[in-house]
Amino acid sequence: MRLGKTYRKGGFMNEKVKSGSRNVAIVGPYLSGKTTFLESLLFVTGAISRKGSVKDSNTVGDSAAESRDRHMSVEVSAASTEYNGIRFTFIDCPGSVEFAQETYNALIGVDAAIVVCEPIRERVLTLAPLFKFLDDWEIPHLVFVNKMDRANIHVLETLHALKAVSSRIVGGAVPKQYIPGVEMGVREFLTHGPLGFPIVDLSITLTNGSYHNFDSSEQAFKQAARLAMQTGIPQAEPTLLEPILRVDVTTPSEFTSKVLQLLSGRRGQILGYEGKNDWQGWDNVSAYLPQAEMQNFIVELRSLTLGVGSFHWEYDHLQEVPEKLAERVIHSNNK
């Protein structure tokens, strides 16, 4: 963990704030704007006099040389400020999947978490494992929807997705006081479906039910909902999905063919390649690559390109896992 300095308007703060302190983690997917959000928090509380930007490599959160070079957080960093007599230490956690364990380790020791996300439904769905971790460890958290000023946002879709799989529950013959129990049972089941993973992309409707004036309870309806899901979801023929990333690789032209082979060998879908502008003798290769195939990708890439190849990636969409691979994954996960 990289520990940042403690900031306070007018200089560094050397005394411990007597009225209390809070450790708050800032978490979310890669490129969701966590580091910029931290920069804004420090600015509005007077900890810094001007806001830096990730693009200009001058933010407090991305102070490591590698973070500045890659324009992304590669380690946990922290910075503190004071507001209304309370000292806040904000812990900026990397969103890239290869640093997920560092993020989870940092979350265990915080008082609360702020989940930063974009108003894009597909990206919100990738937060399911993070929300499950926060719930399992009973870590209080709130969601900050970033980049709302951009065009073509879908606010309602984002809000429905944030509710961890859009679900719609209405009442039939079930008293209103028991419907929250039904919803709770459904949500608990969705965190670990019949294939062993969280369930996304579905709609659920409560159309009818029965109750007893004396024996019915919220816990009973919660259990009934779980049993209904156990019966109904397999009949819907669920499929295993995996996150697909868009990867852009920069490489000397003489190694382009090797890079294409590397991507294809990792179940990649080549989108194309072209010469880089103002970079004579260099190519940019674009492809879709399953996130599961990213392990050690940079190591192989550097090995094939004499250490000079680099890449940038971002989440693009979810896609069905090939049948044989899905069988192996499900079997391994259910052991």
Side-chain angles (χ1 to χ4, degrees):
M1 176 187 289
R2 173 176 293 272
L3 294 178
K5 297 177 180 178
T6 299
Y7 296 90
R8 187 178 188 181
K9 189 174 183 179
F12 294 115
M13 179 167 59
N14 295 318
E15 294 183 356
K16 184 176 180 181
V17 179
K18 295 181 180 179
S19 59
S21 60
R22 299 289 186 272
N23 296 323
V24 181
I26 301 176
V27 294
Y30 169 59
L31 290 181
S32 59
K34 298 182 298 299
T35 300
T36 301
F37 177 65
L38 170 61
E39 200 76 4
S40 296
L41 288 174
L42 296 176
F43 178 74
V44 298
T45 57
I48 56 177
S49 58
R50 60 183 294 271
K51 289 199 296 184
S53 70
V54 174
K55 181 179 180 181
D56 295 333
S57 301
N58 60 357
T59 61
V60 174
D62 284 344
S63 57
E66 186 178 357
S67 295
R68 297 183 186 276
D69 290 340
R70 297 176 62 178
H71 298 293
M72 60 175 282
S73 299
V74 298
E75 60 187 359
V76 175
S77 62
S80 298
T81 186
E82 184 182 350
Y83 184 73
N84 282 349
I86 299 177
R87 179 185 177 185
F88 289 92
T89 297
F90 292 106
I91 302 173
D92 185 14
C93 300
S96 188
V97 65
E98 62 261 41
F99 304 112
Q101 191 56 54
E102 291 188 28
T103 295
Y104 292 153
N105 291 342
L107 281 170
I108 293 175
V110 301
D111 299 302
I114 301 173
V115 181
V116 180
C117 71
E118 298 177 74
I120 301 174
R121 178 178 175 276
E122 290 76 10
R123 294 197 178 187
V124 170
L125 293 175
T126 66
L127 288 169
L130 177 59
F131 282 130
K132 185 177 188 305
F133 183 90
L134 292 170
D135 288 339
D136 288 347
W137 284 84
E138 298 182 348
I139 301 172
H141 53 278
L142 60 86
V143 177
F144 180 85
V145 182
N146 201 13
K147 306 180 183 181
M148 293 291 289
D149 56 339
R150 298 195 174 182
N152 300 321
I153 63 172
H154 302 285
V155 179
L156 291 180
E157 287 188 6
T158 301
L159 293 177
H160 282 308
L162 283 170
K163 289 181 179 180
V165 250
S166 321
S167 56
R168 179 171 58 94
I169 302 177
V170 297
V174 179
K176 291 183 178 180
Q177 66 266 29
Y178 296 137
I179 290 182
V182 175
E183 183 173 0
M184 190 180 304
V186 168
R187 291 189 186 282
E188 288 185 1
F189 182 86
L190 295 181
T191 62
H192 191 85
L195 302 185
F197 299 92
I199 305 174
V200 298
D201 295 340
L202 79 164
S203 177
I204 300 168
T205 303
L206 173 61
T207 59
N208 210 332
S210 60
Y211 70 100
H212 190 278
N213 287 330
F214 300 103
D215 295 334
S216 292
S217 66
E218 183 174 309
Q219 183 63 31
F221 276 91
K222 174 182 173 181
Q223 183 62 23
R226 289 185 60 87
L227 292 173
M229 294 294 288
Q230 288 177 358
T231 303
I233 291 295
Q235 296 177 13
E237 300 181 355
T239 58
L240 185 63
L241 304 177
E242 63 178 339
I244 303 296
L245 314 177
R246 181 191 169 99
V247 180
D248 293 298
V249 181
T250 300
T251 177
S253 300
E254 61 184 293
F255 301 126
T256 298
S257 61
K258 293 184 178 180
V259 171
L260 294 173
Q261 292 175 10
L262 172 63
L263 292 167
S264 298
R266 288 174 173 254
R267 298 193 289 127
Q269 177 186 347
I270 307 298
L271 301 178
Y273 66 92
E274 59 184 359
K276 286 186 67 69
N277 296 331
D278 302 325
W279 282 43
Q280 186 174 0
W282 286 71
D283 287 339
N284 183 77
V285 182
S286 299
Y288 287 143
L289 195 65
Q291 182 175 309
E293 300 291 342
M294 290 297 293
Q295 185 174 5
N296 296 326
F297 181 79
I298 186 62
V299 176
E300 287 196 47
L301 177 63
R302 294 284 170 84
S303 176
L304 293 175
T305 61
L306 298 182
V308 297
S310 62
F311 72 95
H312 165 82
W313 67 265
E314 61 181 16
Y315 170 81
D316 195 87
H317 62 280
L318 292 173
Q319 181 173 293
E320 186 173 344
V321 178
E323 184 177 357
K324 290 185 178 180
L325 177 59
E327 291 176 355
R328 293 201 301 269
V329 172
I330 294 171
H331 177 73
S332 176
N333 191 65
N334 288 332
K335 280 185 177 180

